Amino acid sequence: MSPSVTARGSALCVLTLLNFAFVFITGADFVRFISFRAIYLNITGDSPFCQDKVGWTEALSDGAVLGALALDAGLVALFVAQHSLLAWAPVKQVYQAGLGVLSRAAYCCSTAVALQILMKFWQPVHSAPCLWSVRHAPWNVWFPVLCFALHFLCWAIMCSILLIFDYPELLGLKQVYYDLLGLGDPMSHKSPRSQRLFSHLRHPVCLELGVVLWLLPALPLDRLLLAGSLTAYLALAHSLDKQDLAYLARQFNKKLQIFASPPGGGNGDTEDGGDRKAE
């Protein structure tokens, strides 16, 4: 193996692992920003962001409120533009041609940068009433605890789903690993039906993310903007059809059969191998 090949492989590994660490840290920051910080600030149901003495007309004519909402809307638009533009086929082809095996890692890195900017410069709205705020006993104690438990459950489900959908491949680690072994693109080893599903399934955790966006003890205006914008984006980006759902149902049934079969009695077909035979 020539020194240039070794240097290239080492550089790819270092860049990919650094990107993995950055994306992982950003994900942890996003969990704190979306869930635990918001619930902690509302742990008594008496959010400092809720100003019930201020009327809606007065709040929506306040320059400070409108300025904060305008900045927050711009931050959401920046994230949506990055997340959608780089997934658009013509743009995707350009940066894939330029970055090659690092294209997926670069996409994840740019998404993490957009999220860090959003979280860093996000402006809470302090001078307006909340859409709702749970303040009366005993729910001012129990409802935040319920929110915390459901948020924790939803994040656990989302992490599990990401692991099922091949977390290393989603973050670009597997692409580099396969390239160094000369195996090509990992997606090329999947069945046509699996490739079709992955081309449509951009956001596999829509329901759980919707829960953590909306389920809070108090919902201030800036959170309404964030939850409404991301919910609308997730709904518009949804593109699964009946064939995808039927494929998912078959794979789910296969997994159930594997777990239900006695040890050593399962079939030897892999998920993609079975699909290739069916094609």
Side-chain angles (χ1 to χ4, degrees):
M1 184 178 294
S2 65
S4 61
V5 174
T6 304
R8 175 182 177 274
S10 300
L12 288 176
C13 290
V14 170
L15 289 174
T16 308
L17 291 174
L18 288 175
N19 176 72
F20 174 82
F22 176 57
V23 173
F24 184 85
I25 293 171
T26 300
D29 288 341
F30 187 65
V31 172
R32 177 186 56 84
F33 175 78
I34 288 290
S35 290
F36 300 121
R37 185 182 71 167
I39 294 176
Y40 175 77
L41 291 174
N42 294 290
I43 197 66
T44 63
D46 187 15
S47 171
F49 297 156
C50 296
Q51 299 294 334
D52 291 338
K53 296 180 180 179
V54 179
W56 283 105
T57 303
E58 180 183 353
L60 294 177
S61 60
D62 187 345
V65 172
L66 296 178
L69 291 176
L71 176 60
D72 293 343
L75 293 172
V76 173
L78 173 65
F79 170 74
V80 170
Q82 175 277 327
H83 212 55
S84 299
L85 184 63
L86 292 186
W88 188 36
V91 176
K92 191 175 182 179
Q93 292 174 0
V94 171
Y95 75 79
Q96 282 182 339
L99 297 174
V101 71
L102 289 175
S103 58
R104 181 64 193 178
Y107 177 79
C108 293
C109 182
S110 63
T111 299
V113 169
L115 281 177
Q116 288 287 357
I117 293 173
L118 184 147
M119 294 183 289
K120 175 71 175 178
F121 296 102
W122 188 263
Q123 294 295 312
V125 175
H126 297 278
S127 305
C130 291
L131 266 73
W132 67 73
S133 181
V134 180
R135 297 169 182 262
H136 302 292
W139 292 109
N140 62 335
V141 174
W142 288 109
F143 191 67
V145 173
L146 175 64
C147 290
F148 180 88
L150 290 177
H151 278 231
F152 185 87
L153 176 62
C154 285
W155 286 115
I157 293 173
M158 281 188 267
C159 291
S160 300
I161 291 174
L162 291 177
L163 290 174
I164 292 172
F165 275 89
D166 204 343
Y167 191 65
E169 185 173 348
L170 289 174
L171 291 185
L173 288 171
K174 197 171 184 178
Q175 286 83 340
V176 172
Y177 177 71
Y178 271 46
D179 179 75
L180 294 178
L181 294 180
L183 298 176
D185 186 2
M187 188 62 68
S188 65
H189 295 268
K190 299 183 184 296
S191 70
R193 292 179 183 176
S194 182
Q195 292 181 29
R196 186 179 188 277
L197 172 66
F198 275 85
S199 68
H200 292 169
L201 191 64
R202 291 186 57 197
H203 303 95
V205 292
C206 295
L207 178 61
E208 295 81 4
L209 188 56
V211 171
V212 301
L213 285 172
W214 289 99
L215 185 65
L216 287 174
L219 193 77
L221 274 179
D222 62 290
R223 183 54 176 246
L224 174 65
L225 172 65
L226 180 66
S229 301
L230 293 184
T231 300
Y233 176 65
L234 290 172
L236 292 174
H238 177 75
S239 60
L240 293 181
D241 55 23
K242 292 183 178 180
Q243 293 184 42
D244 295 321
L245 295 176
Y247 173 76
L248 283 173
R250 286 195 299 271
Q251 297 306 320
F252 181 71
N253 289 331
K254 287 182 181 180
K255 293 292 189 273
L256 290 180
Q257 292 173 6
I258 292 174
F259 285 117
S261 62
N267 61 64
D269 294 338
T270 63
E271 173 183 336
D272 286 346
D275 289 334
R276 290 187 186 278
K277 294 177 182 179
E279 291 296 330

